[in-house]
Amino acid sequence: MLLALNLNTSTAPPYTLLTGRDDNGDGIFNDRPPGVGRNTLRASGQTTLNMMAGYVFTFGRMAPLPPGIGIFGSGGATQVRAIDQGTARYRLQVFVQAQNITNEKNYLGYSGTLTSPFFGRPTAVSGMRKIDAGMSLNF
């Protein structure tokens, strides 16, 4: 049985307060109010909890290998194994994985433009809950 939990969390990223006007006359509408620096506002932090569960079925027989982990044989027949493979010829794994299992809303794309109707609000959300199921066959 395989089971994995993964928690990802991040602090609030910064964004910049803008006037929404061309205050300095350079033709670009990205001016900040006087005395306001870059990245002075903060969006909301993000959290995602992910999970994976699976089970491996083994079947079929093959010629047994020497037990253990290490270097086996010599010359051109040398074999290096990092895991004990056992004697099963086939492995069927079934799994379910879920991303953002709590369906936490992770907002992004905050508007820092004072003249925008979306000022201080997020314009997008990411990482909706997603559940995948599948299987793999190794031989």
Side-chain angles (χ1 to χ4, degrees), residues 9-119:
T9 187
S10 65
T11 58
Y15 65 103
T16 302
L17 178 65
L18 302 173
T19 63
R21 299 181 305 270
D22 182 17
D23 297 327
N24 62 4
D26 64 356
I28 301 173
F29 290 79
N30 66 350
D31 298 331
R32 296 185 303 270
V36 175
R38 289 181 57 243
N39 297 331
T40 54
L41 301 176
R42 290 281 175 182
S44 58
Q46 298 185 0
T47 301
T48 304
L49 180 63
N50 306 314
M51 180 213 61
M52 189 273 199
Y55 192 79
V56 177
F57 300 94
T58 59
F59 56 96
R61 302 299 258 174
M62 62 184 214
L65 297 171
I69 299 170
I71 301 173
F72 301 92
S74 62
T78 301
Q79 181 184 41
V80 178
R81 289 200 319 256
I83 61 170
D84 187 3
Q85 297 174 346
T87 60
R89 179 171 180 125
Y90 304 104
R91 288 181 170 79
L92 175 68
Q93 178 185 15
V94 293
F95 65 89
V96 174
Q97 60 187 18
Q99 298 168 358
N100 196 6
I101 60 178
T102 59
N103 208 23
E104 184 75 24
K105 297 176 195 85
N106 292 308
Y107 296 111
L108 50 97
Y110 281 75
S111 173
T113 306
L114 288 169
T115 57
S116 170
F118 301 107
F119 173 72

